[in-house]
Amino acid sequence: MLEEKSAKIKKIEKDKTLSILLLRGPYVSEYAEIASTLALTARKKGYKVNMFLYLDGTWLQHIKEFKNFSNPGDWLKRAMRKGVTVRACQRCSSARDLTPDDTIKGIEQSGLYSFVDMLAESDRVLTFIG
Amino acid sequence: MSMMGAPQPEGCSTFGPIPESSGIRAWCMFNNLTGAIFIKGVCIAVPISCTTKQGGIMTDPGKFDSLGIVIAHTAAVHEGAQQAVSLGLEAMRRGKRVGFFLLSDGVFNAIQGSGDVATGLNQVISDGGKVFLSSEHVLAAGIPTEKLITGTETLEKAYEALVDLIMEDWDRVIIC
């Protein structure tokens, strides 16, 4: 039974990687929501998905508490539960006084070199800027 | 100056070295924002403001056949939508296959006669390009179907369709 389930999961995994760079904060535009929704949808379709939160994009990790309305933080958490890797720029977070206690658990604080690693393995990169 | 064989794009304020082991050829910063990113000589990400400054991403060393442009804003919010349409038309003139995907407030650009962006999208369709719309966002925006530019394709399950286009159909994707 377990082998069957494992084989099924393997079958839907696709050998392509999508990386998403988010530079805009939530609510100022719909970019954070669009980026998170795309990440979740791509992951559900079996692609490997990375997200890197940069500059004001780091504010997205701050929406950590439950809300009884649709919100980009919830989309991000759902994406992470499905296996999307999310990293945030440590310097950008620090500059905004975003501490680990303020942010969604499971997001690695790292530098731009870590984003370069993401790029190196990506088939497609989406940049949400402007 | 060039870095590991990649040309420095015009307007580049920083053209930083990246460890060769990463596979990245160059990292370019435009106005201190993330700019063109080259992997193995192929430009994989360019913000719209840079692409227009460069006169189109076709000046970059990467080769590609198709270009996808996602528009999530109206022309009234900023110039991105207008620049994206100009870029798409230029790419088509250079023989590239171009598709637009309008979602969120971007769907307002698909109202017939609503301005320069709508005129440009009409031209895209006339020249053989594709313009897709998110059905959910068209509905949320309250746009009657008969007001949409003729030839646009309204898609249910827009995000699923968009992921398919990004991962399997388009070689390069720009979000604006």
Side-chain angles (χ1 to χ4, degrees), chain A:
Chain A
M1 183 71 178
L2 197 64
E3 277 176 12
E4 199 177 291
K5 198 177 171 186
S6 163
K8 198 177 172 186
I9 291 169
K10 231 177 208 173
K11 199 176 169 187
I12 61 160
E13 288 293 332
K14 292 176 180 162
D15 191 25
K16 279 189 178 177
T17 301
L18 169 69
S19 288
I20 297 173
L21 175 65
L22 177 67
L23 295 98
R24 291 277 272 175
Y27 304 121
V28 68
S29 77
E30 288 191 51
Y31 274 176
E33 191 158 341
I34 293 170
S36 303
T37 309
L38 268 177
L40 176 63
T41 309
R43 184 67 202 118
K44 279 181 176 173
K45 280 180 167 281
Y47 297 105
K48 187 180 176 200
V49 183
N50 301 312
M51 269 187 89
F52 194 87
L53 312 180
Y54 190 47
L55 299 179
D56 275 352
T58 51
W59 283 114
L60 178 57
Q61 62 186 327
H62 188 54
I63 310 174
K64 60 173 191 167
E65 301 297 342
F66 170 79
K67 290 165 186 58
N68 62 356
F69 50 86
S70 176
N71 66 88
D74 188 42
W75 284 105
L76 183 68
K77 283 183 276 187
R78 289 168 64 182
M80 290 173 69
R81 281 198 296 270
K82 287 286 179 190
V84 172
T85 301
V86 183
R87 290 178 186 156
C89 168
Q90 191 275 332
R91 178 64 64 90
C92 306
S93 300
S94 169
R96 289 158 181 79
D97 289 334
L98 289 166
T99 67
D101 287 342
D102 288 331
T103 56
I104 295 167
K105 296 280 174 271
I107 297 178
E108 185 190 334
Q109 304 295 317
S110 58
L112 267 182
Y113 280 97
S114 159
F115 176 58
V116 169
D117 291 337
M118 283 182 170
L119 289 177
E121 63 167 21
S122 298
D123 294 281
R124 296 287 186 278
V125 178
L126 303 178
T127 306
F128 288 85
I129 188 175

Side-chain angles (χ1 to χ4, degrees), chain B residues 107-118:
Chain B
V107 297
F108 285 108
N109 297 304
I111 298 175
Q112 191 77 255
S114 60
D116 291 345
V117 176

Side-chain angles (χ1 to χ4, degrees), chain B residues 104-128:
Chain B
S104 186
D105 278 356
V107 297
F108 285 108
N109 297 304
I111 298 175
Q112 191 77 255
S114 60
D116 291 345
V117 176
T119 305
L121 290 173
N122 251 320
Q123 187 65 46
V124 167
I125 293 168
S126 302
D127 293 352

